[in-house]
Amino acid sequence: MTASYTIPVTAEHEYPVIIGRGLLGELPHLCAGAQRVAIIHSAVLTTSAEAIRDDLHDGGFECFLIEVPASEDAKTAPVASFAWETLGTCGFTRSDVIVGLGGGATTDLAGFVAATWLRGVKVIQIPTTVLAMVDAAVGGKTGINSDAGKNLIGSFHSPHGVLCDMNALDSLPPHDLLSGFAEVIKVGFTHDASILTDIEDRGEACIDPGGDLLADLVRRAVQVKADVVAVDFKETGEGGGVGRAALNYGHTFGHAIERVESYRWRHGAAISVGMVYVAELARLGGKLTESDVQRHRDLLEQLGLPTTYAGDRWDQLLSAMQVDKKARGSVLRFVILNGLQNPVFWEGPDPALLHAAYGAVTA
Ligand code: GLY
C-alpha cells in the first residue's frame, strides 16, 4: 500500500482513520477551528512532538506539549489530573483540540482527558504502535486504570480523526511491533479469516515495517473495528449478537494477567495468552476443535508471542477476572468462538472448566 487510505468510521459522529506514510500534513486541516492544540506524548516521542508543535505553530495554532509517563504509567488519575491542570493553565477552551501521540496507553489517556475536559473537547489520535493503530486509538474507548482494575474509569468519546502514519513503525522496538500484532490476530479469529491465512502464508513479511503487507493488515484490522463500532458503539449489543464485545476476545484472562503482573506485561502479550485460554475453554465446551486451538498457538508463536503462563497464580487470576468489567454481576462472562469467526458469549462457565483451561495454558 503506497498511497494513503481513508476508512470512515461512523460512531457518535463520522471521522476518518487515515493509513499511509508521511501523514502529518493532514493535522492542521483536522485542527481547523481551534486556536490551541495540546499534544499529549511520552518522553520517547518528544522530538516528534516538537516537530508537530513547530508545524502547527507555523500554521497559526498556539501549541503546547504535555509530556506523560511511558506505557501504562500514563493511565493514572494523577497523570490525568496533571494534564487537566496544564489545560487550565493554558486557557484551553471547548473549541480547542487535544492530540494523542503515542502507543495505546497514551492515546487512551489523551482520549480520556479530552472526554472529560469541559465535558468533551476534540481529540485527534496519532497512534505510533500497531496496537494503538488497530485498536486503542480507533473506536472511542478512552480510560485510565486504578487499583481496582484496568480501564475501569473511562468514557466513550470518539476521536475527530486518526492518523496512522506507518513511518512511526520504522523505529518501533520489535517487541512492541509484535505485541500489537496480537490485536491483528484477534480480529482474524473473530471476524476476518483472510488475516489469518495471510499471516500463515507470508510469515515474517507481515511484520516488516517497510513492506506493504503490514500496512494492508493494519487497514483490514481497522476496517473490522470500524464496521463493529458503527453498529455497537457503546458495547450494549445493539445490532444483535455479541457486537463490540467481540473485540474483547482474549481480554478477560489477558487483563487478569496484566493486573496480576502489575501491568509489567505488554497488553498484546497478555491477550495472546488470553486468546489461547479462551480457545482452550471453548474446546472444553465443545465449541472449537483441537486443531482450531492449535492454530491459535501456531499463529501467535509464529510471531514470537507468548502462549503460556505461570502455573501458580490461579486464585489471583480468578479474582482479577471477577472484577474485570466484562463480568456481569458475579457471573463471569467470556467471549468465546463457537467455530472460528463466530464469537458468542459464554456466561458462568463451570469453575472446573475454567480451571482446566488454565491448566492447558500453564508452562
Ligand atoms: N479494545 C476493544 C474495543 O475497543 O472495544
Side-chain angles (χ1 to χ4, degrees):
M1 188 180 74
T2 44
S4 69
Y5 192 95
T6 300
I7 297 175
V9 184
T10 309
E12 242 184 341
H13 54 257
E14 184 170 316
Y15 57 92
V17 179
I18 308 175
I19 301 160
R21 288 190 175 268
L23 297 179
L24 295 180
E26 302 285 337
L27 190 56
H29 159 71
L30 285 171
C31 292
Q35 184 181 340
R36 294 171 201 80
V37 180
I39 302 175
I40 296 184
H41 69 95
S42 64
V44 76
L45 289 168
T46 300
T47 307
S48 308
E50 286 174 348
I52 295 170
R53 177 194 62 194
D54 295 347
D55 267 5
L56 288 171
H57 187 260
D58 291 347
F61 296 95
E62 242 176 78
C63 188
F64 52 96
L65 306 185
I66 302 179
E67 185 182 311
V68 297
S71 306
E72 294 291 316
D73 288 346
K75 292 177 58 172
T76 67
V79 175
S81 175
F82 161 71
W84 291 321
E85 295 310 327
T86 309
L87 295 176
T89 305
C90 297
F92 211 77
T93 70
R94 193 164 272 163
S95 56
D96 294 331
V97 176
I98 290 175
V99 169
L101 171 72
T106 310
T107 61
D108 276 3
L109 171 80
F112 179 66
V113 171
T116 44
W117 183 253
L118 300 177
R119 299 189 181 84
V121 296
K122 286 179 186 164
V123 62
I124 296 165
Q125 302 286 24
I126 308 182
T128 59
T129 63
V130 174
L131 184 140
M133 288 181 185
V134 302
D135 193 49
V138 178
K141 271 190 184 174
T142 76
I144 58 174
N145 305 326
S146 75
D147 288 344
K150 187 173 163 80
N151 292 338
L152 294 181
I153 305 160
S155 168
F156 288 97
H157 185 66
S158 289
H160 184 61
V162 183
L163 299 177
C164 299
D165 193 329
M166 301 304 291
N167 287 343
L169 303 183
D170 293 342
S171 55
L172 197 65
H175 272 98
D176 288 324
L177 193 106
L178 289 178
S179 146
F181 241 80
E183 296 282 4
V184 178
I185 293 174
K186 175 194 79 180
V187 293
F189 277 116
T190 56
H191 291 87
D192 183 349
S194 75
I195 288 180
L196 303 182
T197 46
D198 272 3
I199 295 172
E200 285 163 337
D201 294 346
R202 311 245 337 244
E204 298 257 306
C206 66
I207 47 170
D208 172 9
D212 286 348
L213 183 58
L214 176 56
D216 191 49
L217 288 167
V218 166
R219 178 186 65 75
R220 284 146 66 194
V222 170
Q223 186 65 61
V224 168
K225 184 137 192 190
D227 294 343
V228 168
V229 300
V231 176
D232 186 23
F233 174 53
K234 292 209 169 170
E235 206 175 307
T236 53
E238 208 173 318
V242 175
R244 183 171 184 154
L247 301 174
N248 297 329
Y249 185 60
H251 282 58
T252 302
F253 193 81
H255 280 171
I257 290 179
E258 287 184 276
R259 184 144 188 248
V260 170
E261 296 296 330
S262 304
Y263 304 109
R264 287 183 302 263
W265 268 50
R266 285 180 175 80
H267 176 68
I271 69 146
S272 176
V273 181
M275 283 190 278
V276 180
Y277 176 82
V278 274
E280 288 286 3
L281 189 61
R283 180 185 63 79
L284 291 165
K287 309 291 186 199
L288 283 183
T289 64
E290 266 181 38
S291 79
D292 292 332
V293 182
Q294 192 55 41
R295 199 165 174 208
H296 282 68
R297 288 200 167 88
D298 289 345
L299 269 153
L300 295 161
E301 286 171 5
Q302 179 185 348
L303 296 182
L305 286 159
T307 54
T308 59
Y309 187 62
D312 58 355
R313 293 180 207 163
W314 177 239
D315 291 346
Q316 293 170 69
L317 288 165
L318 190 57
S319 63
M321 287 196 288
Q322 304 284 7
V323 298
D324 189 88
K325 67 184 182 306
K326 265 72 73 184
R328 295 289 179 274
S330 59
V331 178
L332 269 177
R333 187 176 80 170
F334 291 85
V335 175
I336 62 159
L337 297 180
N338 184 9
L340 300 183
Q341 291 86 42
N342 185 25
V344 294
F345 287 124
W346 190 359
E347 307 232 357
D350 183 331
L353 291 185
L354 292 176
H355 191 255
Y358 173 60
V361 298
T362 53

